[in-house]
Amino acid sequence: MAKHWAEPVTTALRADGLRVSEIDPSATPGFTGDKQLGKQLLSERGAVLSDLQERLFADGRTGGKRSVLLVLQGMDTAGKGGIVRHVIGSVDPQGVDHASFGVPTEEEKQHDFLWRIHKRLPAHGQIGVFDRSHYEDVLVVRVHNLVPQAEWEQRYDLINTFEREVADAGTTIVKVAMFVSLDEQKRRLRERLERPDKHWKFNPSDITERGYWPEYQKAYQAILERTNTDYAPWYVVPADSKWYARLAVTELLIDALNRLELDWPTADFDVDEQLRRLDES
Amino acid sequence: MAKHWAEPVTTALRADGLRVSEIDPSATPGFTGDKQLGKQLLSERGAVLSDLQERLFADGRTGGKRSVLLVLQGMDTAGKGGIVRHVIGSVDPQGVDHASFGVPTEEEKQHDFLWRIHKRLPAHGQIGVFDRSHYEDVLVVRVHNLVPQAEWEQRYDLINTFEREVADAGTTIVKVAMFVSLDEQKRRLRERLERPDKHWKFNPSDITERGYWPEYQKAYQAILERTNTDYAPWYVVPADSKWYARLAVTELLIDALNRLELDWPTADFDVDEQLRRLDES
């Protein structure tokens, strides 16, 4: 178990049986320290993550078929972007494949909802990051009835089948649902409005969506109940404290990489012979 | 001009009229400080780069059509990977599109040499990074006669035409040729052989290629003479000092972004109206 955690992060945040209505977005489950310690630990643990990521990359370069996929979901301002910058930002960009999924393009609309997702799955040795994902197709799509219910109802099973295949092919899937409170979201949106350097992050529809909060809670509940599997588990991350969310996701990724038990690849050449060749070159 | 530089980095490293045989890989052109100061400056200047990158990203999100493309070339061990980790690693992964170009795949071989390059050009608002590039098609390909001379001879003009189009479409191209000395390369290869955690980075062909050093020098000379244009200039970065190469490339990117003169995008909504809506939500 990581230092300063009362229980493994995977236990503290696992979504099993959780009611979305009972999540406390200001909580810091499992962590025994305070904000100052949390921030300090983030850079220390980021270095551990970076080392593990290099092993994954090395494994991929030498024929290994493993990869990691971090799926980030959350309401606007929940801090997905901060996870990318401050957690994924601690590892070598060479080993990261980041994909954002927005409103589908015309071409994407001509295919099933998993088509664009498939295309962005991480290659061997890579950490893939999905900023939003196929879950939008049972979140915003469900809340706003963008397709008939009969269609989105099928998607939970389709998603499970898809994720099973991806996991079986060697990808460790880590799904993170970030929960921010309605009040904290208001505070963060106000900051975006009050600071001209943040205006670009604001969209008037962000406020409109606040009116659908209960519907989104229900849609998240359905996800946690119907797509929380052993091979692609959901972790629920309270996100009112940015420092906690970042530390928690760092620990989740460290856990995922540790479970791969990656050693440095062994040489497929004779080291002494190559040292001799090098000396003569 | 950046602090602790005797002249602008773009002047100090510009390839105009340079003879490859006269490059001193251990030099630190333009920089007036030492290693300690250089390392210290790297994190300070990385923060500046990160801020500028966010403006570029914001510009792209709000309809801007600008992007930056960093092309990295250099012999094995020159430190391209270190640039990615330590320079590109200082900016938000969300705004980076990293592409490595290795030996062409079977599919890539069915197309002209620029096909795979085109596909990986950065989107608006992104910093694209090419770890090796279309220049391999006039470097390794030329040195080992992988295609007839009549074919590679044409490529210099094709590359210039291609880069002109890319630049005209809004991409600032920064081409960096990293030069490591034969002795320093030997030292770095030895380290890869002596450290089991570095074995995966070593390939016996790395030593074989050392035998072609003069041919590579000649191929680099041709590149600098024939593809060094105003719209896609080459910068020659001495790379025996890793700290210098990283600082120099950071400064080159800062310069490229500064020249875009990016302000934060202005709001396309009425801020006061949105603040009222937010209060009521």
Side-chain angles (χ1 to χ4, degrees):
Chain A
M1 191 181 334
K3 233 176 11 176
H4 305 294
W5 286 78
E7 57 183 331
V9 65
T10 47
T11 310
L13 300 178
R14 187 68 197 264
D16 306 41
L18 207 73
R19 305 291 314 162
V20 167
S21 57
E22 289 165 10
I23 294 168
D24 174 5
S26 67
T28 56
F31 188 60
T32 59
D34 59 4
K35 179 174 179 173
Q36 196 192 343
L37 180 64
K39 286 185 140 182
Q40 190 185 312
L41 270 178
L42 182 63
S43 93
E44 191 182 317
R45 300 298 284 170
V48 172
L49 177 59
S50 178
D51 179 70
L52 288 164
Q53 175 272 329
E54 194 179 354
R55 286 168 191 250
L56 176 65
F57 186 79
D59 184 66
R61 275 294 177 88
T62 50
K65 295 184 188 306
R66 271 85 61 92
S67 59
V68 169
L69 175 62
L70 175 67
V71 174
L72 293 172
Q73 284 291 156
M75 301 294 287
D76 287 321
T77 77
K80 300 183 294 295
I83 297 292
V84 173
R85 181 182 275 268
H86 298 281
V87 178
I88 301 304
S90 67
V91 310
D92 191 343
Q94 198 177 180
V96 171
D97 193 2
H98 174 274
S100 284
F101 295 98
V103 177
T105 64
E106 283 308 310
E107 187 188 20
E108 287 167 354
K109 282 184 199 157
Q110 311 297 317
H111 298 270
D112 81 285
F113 76 106
L114 292 171
W115 181 73
R116 62 177 184 163
I117 306 295
H118 248 112
K119 290 205 296 179
R120 297 306 305 270
L121 288 171
H124 301 156
Q126 295 276 315
I127 297 181
V129 182
F130 284 178
D131 183 342
R132 305 188 188 271
S133 66
H134 42 300
Y135 285 99
E136 291 297 317
D137 296 290
V138 284
L139 286 168
V140 62
V141 166
R142 171 177 168 152
V143 167
H144 291 289
N145 298 303
L146 301 182
V147 304
Q149 175 162 1
E151 193 170 337
W152 59 252
E153 279 285 3
Q154 292 178 355
R155 290 183 174 169
Y156 299 97
D157 288 342
L158 291 169
I159 286 173
N160 287 336
T161 305
F162 165 68
E163 291 181 346
R164 163 116 248 169
E165 284 169 13
V166 172
D168 285 350
T171 302
T172 302
I173 303 174
V174 179
K175 298 188 296 198
V176 167
M178 302 177 73
F179 286 89
V180 69
S181 65
L182 205 45
D183 280 352
E184 177 65 16
Q185 189 192 52
K186 183 180 269 192
R187 211 190 56 72
R188 292 181 186 179
L189 286 175
R190 184 175 293 119
E191 191 187 7
R192 290 185 182 179
L193 282 167
E194 286 172 348
R195 287 179 49 176
D197 63 331
K198 301 253 187 196
H199 282 167
W200 66 276
K201 293 188 178 187
F202 179 85
N203 192 308
S205 71
D206 298 345
I207 298 179
T208 315
E209 290 304 288
R210 285 170 62 77
Y212 294 92
W213 202 267
E215 287 82 355
Y216 274 107
Q217 298 274 97
K218 207 170 143 191
Y220 270 101
Q221 185 67 47
I223 279 175
L224 298 186
E225 281 171 17
R226 300 173 68 175
T227 64
N228 184 32
T229 58
D230 285 342
Y231 49 87
W234 274 110
Y235 297 101
V236 166
V237 174
D240 278 8
S241 299
K242 290 179 181 176
W243 63 268
Y244 174 79
R246 292 168 189 173
L247 181 63
V249 176
T250 302
E251 295 295 352
L252 287 170
L253 288 172
I254 287 174
D255 170 80
L257 285 161
N258 270 334
R259 278 184 285 121
L260 297 180
E261 299 185 340
L262 294 163
D263 280 325
W264 293 109
T266 48
D268 61 356
F269 47 82
D270 181 324
V271 174
D272 290 333
E273 182 196 334
Q274 296 302 326
L275 278 167
R276 269 193 308 276
R277 284 185 69 215
L278 181 62
D279 275 340
E280 287 158 14
S281 74
Chain B
M1 192 181 330
K3 232 175 17 178
H4 305 294
W5 286 79
E7 57 183 332
V9 66
T10 46
T11 310
L13 300 178
R14 188 68 198 266
D16 306 40
L18 208 73
R19 303 292 315 163
V20 168
S21 57
E22 289 166 9
I23 294 169
D24 174 5
S26 67
T28 57
F31 188 61
T32 59
D34 59 4
K35 179 174 179 173
Q36 196 192 343
L37 179 65
K39 286 185 139 183
Q40 190 185 311
L41 270 178
L42 182 63
S43 92
E44 192 182 318
R45 299 299 284 171
V48 172
L49 177 60
S50 178
D51 179 71
L52 287 165
Q53 176 272 328
E54 194 179 354
R55 287 168 189 249
L56 176 66
F57 186 78
D59 184 67
R61 275 293 176 89
T62 50
K65 295 185 189 305
R66 270 84 62 92
S67 60
V68 169
L69 174 62
L70 175 67
V71 174
L72 293 173
Q73 285 292 158
M75 301 294 286
D76 288 322
T77 79
K80 299 183 296 293
I83 296 292
V84 173
R85 180 181 276 268
H86 298 281
V87 178
I88 301 304
S90 67
V91 310
D92 191 343
Q94 200 178 178
V96 172
D97 192 2
H98 174 273
S100 285
F101 296 98
V103 176
T105 64
E106 283 308 310
E107 188 189 20
E108 287 167 354
K109 282 185 200 158
Q110 310 298 314
H111 299 269
D112 81 284
F113 76 106
L114 292 171
W115 181 75
R116 63 176 184 162
I117 305 295
H118 248 113
K119 291 206 295 178
R120 298 307 306 271
L121 288 171
H124 301 157
Q126 295 276 315
I127 297 180
V129 181
F130 285 178
D131 184 342
R132 302 188 188 272
S133 67
H134 42 300
Y135 286 99
E136 290 297 318
D137 296 290
V138 283
L139 286 168
V140 63
V141 167
R142 170 176 168 154
V143 167
H144 292 290
N145 299 303
L146 301 181
V147 304
Q149 174 163 1
E151 194 170 336
W152 59 251
E153 279 284 4
Q154 291 179 354
R155 290 183 175 171
Y156 299 96
D157 288 342
L158 291 169
I159 286 173
N160 286 336
T161 305
F162 164 68
E163 290 180 347
R164 163 116 248 170
E165 284 168 16
V166 172
D168 285 350
T171 303
T172 302
I173 304 173
V174 179
K175 299 188 298 198
V176 168
M178 302 176 73
F179 285 89
V180 67
S181 65
L182 204 47
D183 280 352
E184 177 64 16
Q185 189 192 52
K186 183 181 270 193
R187 210 191 56 72
R188 292 181 186 178
L189 287 174
R190 184 175 293 121
E191 190 187 9
R192 289 186 183 179
L193 283 168
E194 286 171 349
R195 286 180 49 178
D197 63 330
K198 302 253 187 194
H199 282 168
W200 65 276
K201 294 188 179 187
F202 179 86
N203 191 308
S205 71
D206 299 345
I207 298 179
T208 315
E209 290 304 288
R210 286 169 62 76
Y212 294 91
W213 202 265
E215 287 82 356
Y216 274 106
Q217 297 276 97
K218 206 171 146 193
Y220 270 100
Q221 184 68 47
I223 280 175
L224 297 186
E225 282 171 16
R226 299 175 67 176
T227 65
N228 183 33
T229 58
D230 285 341
Y231 49 87
W234 273 110
Y235 297 101
V236 166
V237 175
D240 278 8
S241 299
K242 290 178 181 176
W243 64 268
Y244 174 79
R246 292 168 189 173
L247 180 62
V249 176
T250 302
E251 295 295 351
L252 286 170
L253 288 172
I254 287 174
D255 170 79
L257 285 160
N258 270 334
R259 278 185 284 120
L260 297 180
E261 298 184 340
L262 293 163
D263 280 324
W264 292 109
T266 49
D268 60 355
F269 46 81
D270 181 326
V271 174
D272 290 333
E273 181 196 337
Q274 296 302 326
L275 278 167
R276 271 194 306 278
R277 285 185 69 216
L278 181 62
D279 276 339
E280 287 158 13
S281 75

